[in-house]
Amino acid sequence: MAEQLQFSGTSREELYSSLLPQLKQLVHDEKDLVAILSNVAATLKQYFQFFWVGFYIVKDEQLVLGPFQGDIACFRIDLGKGVCGTAWKTKEVQVVPNVEDFPGHIACSTASKSEIVVPIYSSESKDQVVAVLDIDSDCLNDFNAVDAYYLTELTEWLSTYF
Ligand code: SME
């Protein structure tokens, strides 16, 4: 259970540094992708108090809503659209300090102020994005290179389950 995870420290970097080992322990020998992504989203939401955490998975040439925690979100996003579609198209992490400044940002909630989207690559090729991890904050400028570093480490591990 997520409640069994023991994170030490209180800063976000301290929380991140103990996140991955504990998630690996939590997942243990589970192989089901939906089950794993669901508990990863719940863990990130619970421990970091993010506003919205979820996955969009590439299916039928679109990003389709996957396991998430937070408000109701849009079902599908096209390549290059919004922050998620941009991360998919560019294959690069998108850090958005103020969503209102991002051209074409898709607003699922007006409470969302800043956002980070991390591509999840196929374990066989970094040229292929199979999903994205999308995290929204209700604070402006809430994400930086530290988030990008640790969340990339997390998504590299998750890519092995796709
Ligand atoms: N803001 C995202 C859409 C997904 S919601 O934030 C959950 C975007 O612009 O791609």
Side-chain angles (χ1 to χ4, degrees):
M1 302 303 122
E3 303 85 75
Q4 293 170 341
L5 302 186
Q6 298 290 323
F7 291 97
S8 58
T10 50
S11 78
R12 190 178 291 180
E13 185 155 16
E14 285 170 327
L15 290 173
Y16 273 131
S17 66
S18 60
L19 174 70
L20 192 52
Q22 296 208 60
L23 278 175
K24 285 180 177 173
Q25 206 175 352
L26 174 74
V27 168
H28 186 49
D29 57 1
E30 181 55 61
K31 297 281 184 279
D32 186 89
L33 181 62
V34 170
I36 293 167
L37 297 184
S38 299
N39 268 338
V40 170
T43 302
L44 288 168
K45 180 85 164 63
Q46 182 176 347
Y47 283 93
F48 295 84
Q49 302 291 304
F50 292 132
F51 177 72
W52 195 95
V53 180
F55 295 90
Y56 279 90
I57 299 169
V58 176
K59 288 180 190 170
D60 305 328
E61 297 179 17
Q62 284 185 308
L63 287 172
V64 181
L65 183 64
F68 73 97
Q69 293 270 316
D71 286 2
I72 293 169
C74 57
F75 283 105
R76 289 170 184 266
I77 298 172
D78 289 326
L79 183 69
K81 299 294 181 191
V83 187
C84 293
T86 301
W88 179 20
K89 186 175 179 182
T90 62
K91 305 182 176 78
E92 286 173 0
V93 177
Q94 303 294 307
V95 176
V96 181
N98 181 350
V99 295
E100 287 183 12
D101 293 340
F102 190 95
H105 168 256
I106 300 163
C108 291
S109 167
T110 53
S112 175
K113 303 292 183 212
S114 59
E115 182 165 358
I116 184 168
V117 180
V118 184
I120 304 178
Y121 308 105
S122 156
S123 53
E124 283 153 27
S125 164
K126 270 203 148 191
D127 278 341
Q128 193 192 349
V129 174
V130 292
V132 299
L133 166 61
D134 179 15
I135 303 181
D136 288 23
S137 170
D138 54 9
C139 301
L140 283 169
N141 203 14
D142 204 15
F143 302 104
N144 59 33
V146 171
D147 301 271
Y149 174 83
Y150 284 103
L151 293 171
T152 296
E153 205 176 54
L154 171 66
T155 55
E156 281 172 359
W157 166 64
L158 285 175
S159 74
T160 60
Y161 294 100
F162 278 78

